C-alpha cells in the first residue's frame, strides 16, 4: 500500500474528488469512485466519503493505493492509443468545406480533450489516451478526399450523447462560430427518450456547479448561476415513457439532462440527474445502457458566406431500437387495458 498526495490548484477548483483522482492517478472513473467508497481517500486531512464532493484550491488530497508489482523479466508492452473501430466507422461527416466541418458523432466517443486533461498528461502522455472525435477528423476528412488540417472544436457533446457537432477549420471561422454560440443564435434541437409523463413547455432556471447534493443543477439563490432555457415538446406519448424534442435557447453544461431530470422525467439510462435534490433515484425500466439523448438538428450561419445552413441526423441504432421496444410495450399495455 502506498499513499499518493497532491494539492488542488486554482485551475482545479470546483472539480469533484473523483475527477481529480482519475486525472492525477490515471484511474478509470469507476476505480476513482471505488477508492473513495473504500474509505481510502482523505481531503484536507479528513476522510472523504463522497466522490462527488467539490474541492477548493490549496486542499491536500491523499489516496492509499495498491501499487502493482514491477515486472521482473519482460518489459510491459508499450501502451498505444486505441479507438473502437465501430466508433471510427460510425462517425460520419455531414458537411465539409474550407471553413467548417459538421459531423454526426456516435455515442461513446468524446468530442475533444478538455484543456486540463491535455495539460495533465503532457504532449507525450496524450499519445496513449483514447482518441477523440477531434483526433479522428483529419483521417475522416482524408477519406472524404478533403484537405487535412487542424480542426477546432467550437462546442461539444457529452461522450454518451450522439448527433451533430460542428468544428471550425480556420481561426476566423472559430471566432465567428463562437460568436453565434455566445449570442445563442445557433439552432439546436435534441431528441430524448424519457421516463414518466413530461409536459410540453418552457423550462428556465439558473444552473450552478453544485445544487446542494454534489450535482450540477438549478438554484433558487438570487443572482447565482447561469441562466438556462430549454423548450420541451412532447413528440410521442409512450405511456410510462415519452419521446420529446428539446430546443436549446441557451447551451449550458448538461442543460437538457438537468432540466428533464429536475422535472421528474429523466432520460432513459440517466444515472446522474435521475433524482430530485437529496432524493432517491427514480426507477428506470427502460434498461438503457446510456442516457438517451441525440442532437438531431443543427442550424447556423456560414462563418464566411453568411448563408443559413442546417442539417438533421437520424437516431443512432441503440436509441432507435429502444424507441421501437417502448412502442411495442405501449401498444401491448393499451391492448391489455382494452
Amino acid at each position: 500500500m502506498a499513499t499518493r498526495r497532491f494539492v488542488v490548484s486554482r485551475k482545479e477548483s470546483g472539480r469533484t474528488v473523483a475527477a481529480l483522482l482519475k486525472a492525477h492517478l490515471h484511474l478509470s472513473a469507476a476505480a476513482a469512485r471505488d477508492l473513495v467508497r473504500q474509505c481510502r481517500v482523505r481531503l484536507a486531512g479528513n476522510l472523504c466519503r463522497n466522490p462527488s464532493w467539490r474541492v477548493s484550491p490549496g486542499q491536500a488530497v491523499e489516496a492509499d493505493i495498491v501499487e502493482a508489482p514491477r515486472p521482473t523479466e519482460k518489459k510491459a508492452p508499450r501502451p498505444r492509443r486505441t479507438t473502437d473501430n465501430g466508433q471510427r466507422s460510425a462517425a460520419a461527416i455531414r458537411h465539409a468545406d474550407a471553413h467548417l466541418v459538421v459531423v454526426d458523432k456516435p455515442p461513446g466517443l468524446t468530442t475533444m480533450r478538455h484543456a486540463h486533461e491535455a495539460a495533465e498528461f503532457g504532449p507525450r502522455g496524450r499519445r496513449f489516451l483514447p482518441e477523440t472525435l477531434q483526433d479522428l477528423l483529419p483521417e475522416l476528412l482524408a477519406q472524404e478526399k478533403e484537405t487535412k488540417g487542424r480542426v477546432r472544436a467550437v462546442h461539444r457533446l457529452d461522450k454518451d450523447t450522439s448527433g451533430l457537432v460542428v468544428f471550425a477549420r480556420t481561426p476566423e471561422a472559430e471566432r465567428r462560430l463562437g460568436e453565434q454560440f455566445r449570442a445563442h443564435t445557433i439552432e439546436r434541437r435534441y431528441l430524448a427518450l424519457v421516463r414518466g409523463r413530461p409536459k410540453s413547455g418552457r423550462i428556465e432556471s439558473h444552473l450552478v456547479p453544485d445544487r446542494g447534493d454534489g450535482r450540477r443543477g438549478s438554484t433558487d439563490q438570487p443572482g447565482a448561476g447561469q441562466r438556462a432555457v430549454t423548450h420541451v415538446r412532447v413528440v410521442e406519448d409512450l405511456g410510462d415513457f415519452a419521446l420529446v424534442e428539446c430546443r436549446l435557447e441557451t447551451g449550458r453544461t448538461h442543460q437538457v439532462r438537468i432540466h428533464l431530470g429536475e422535472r421528474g422525467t429523466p432520460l432513459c439510462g440517466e444515472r446522474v440527474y435521475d433524482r430530485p435534490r437529496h432524493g432517491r433515484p427514480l426507477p428506470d425500466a427502460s434498461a438503457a445502457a446510456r442516457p438517451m439523448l441525440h442532437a438531431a438538428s443543427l442550424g447556423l450561419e456560414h462563418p464566411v458566406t453568411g448563408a443559413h445552413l442546417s442539417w438533421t441526423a437520424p437516431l443512432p441504432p441503440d436509441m432507435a431500437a429502444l424507441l421501437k421496444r417502448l412502442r411495442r410495450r405501449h401498444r401491448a399495455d393499451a391492448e391489455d387495458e382494452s
Side-chain angles (χ1 to χ4, degrees), residues 92-304:
I93 293 177
R94 300 299 303 277
H95 173 91
D97 61 34
H99 308 284
L100 59 85
V101 184
V102 175
V103 188
D104 187 355
K105 183 185 87 67
L109 181 61
T110 301
T111 304
M112 61 174 289
R113 191 78 55 212
H114 289 268
H116 65 79
E117 291 178 314
E120 185 74 37
F121 286 91
R124 296 186 64 185
R126 286 199 297 272
R127 294 179 299 164
F128 308 130
L129 296 174
E131 289 177 309
T132 66
L133 178 57
Q134 187 175 27
D135 296 327
L136 294 175
L137 261 180
E139 181 180 332
L140 293 175
L141 287 167
Q143 292 173 1
E144 296 288 328
K145 295 183 171 48
E146 290 284 342
T147 305
K148 285 187 176 183
R150 181 188 171 193
V151 291
R152 300 161 169 84
V154 184
H155 69 126
R156 72 186 74 205
L157 298 178
D158 290 347
K159 179 179 179 180
D160 287 328
T161 300
S162 58
L164 297 167
V165 59
V166 60
F167 290 82
R169 302 188 73 179
T170 67
E172 181 66 10
E174 181 181 25
R175 182 182 68 80
R176 292 186 179 180
L177 288 170
E179 289 173 353
Q180 292 183 56
F181 274 100
R182 288 189 292 274
H184 308 306
T185 58
I186 300 286
E187 301 164 16
R188 285 182 287 172
R189 295 178 186 271
Y190 289 74
L191 288 176
L193 286 170
V194 303
R195 317 169 217 167
R197 298 179 179 271
K199 295 181 179 179
S200 298
R202 181 178 183 272
I203 303 175
E204 178 174 355
S205 71
H206 284 76
L207 302 183
V208 291
D210 188 343
R211 65 183 185 179
D213 62 356
R215 294 169 174 81
R216 286 187 60 82
S218 301
T219 181
D220 297 327
Q221 184 177 349
Q226 294 179 308
R227 177 175 172 269
V229 180
T230 306
H231 298 269
V232 178
R233 180 175 69 87
V234 177
V235 177
E236 187 174 355
D237 183 347
L238 299 167
D240 293 332
F241 302 90
L243 175 67
V244 300
E245 177 191 80
C246 298
R247 179 173 64 84
L248 297 189
E249 187 173 315
T250 59
R252 310 303 182 191
T253 301
H254 299 168
Q255 176 176 316
V256 172
R257 295 170 61 188
I258 292 169
H259 276 169
L260 291 174
E262 291 183 342
R263 280 291 179 97
T265 56
L267 297 171
C268 295
E270 177 66 75
R271 300 291 183 268
V272 179
Y273 307 108
D274 60 344
R275 66 202 73 188
R277 190 185 308 174
H278 301 300
R280 297 178 63 83
L282 297 172
D284 185 359
S286 71
R290 67 171 178 93
M292 287 293 156
L293 186 63
H294 176 65
S297 67
L298 175 69
L300 51 83
E301 286 188 2
H302 192 280
V304 175

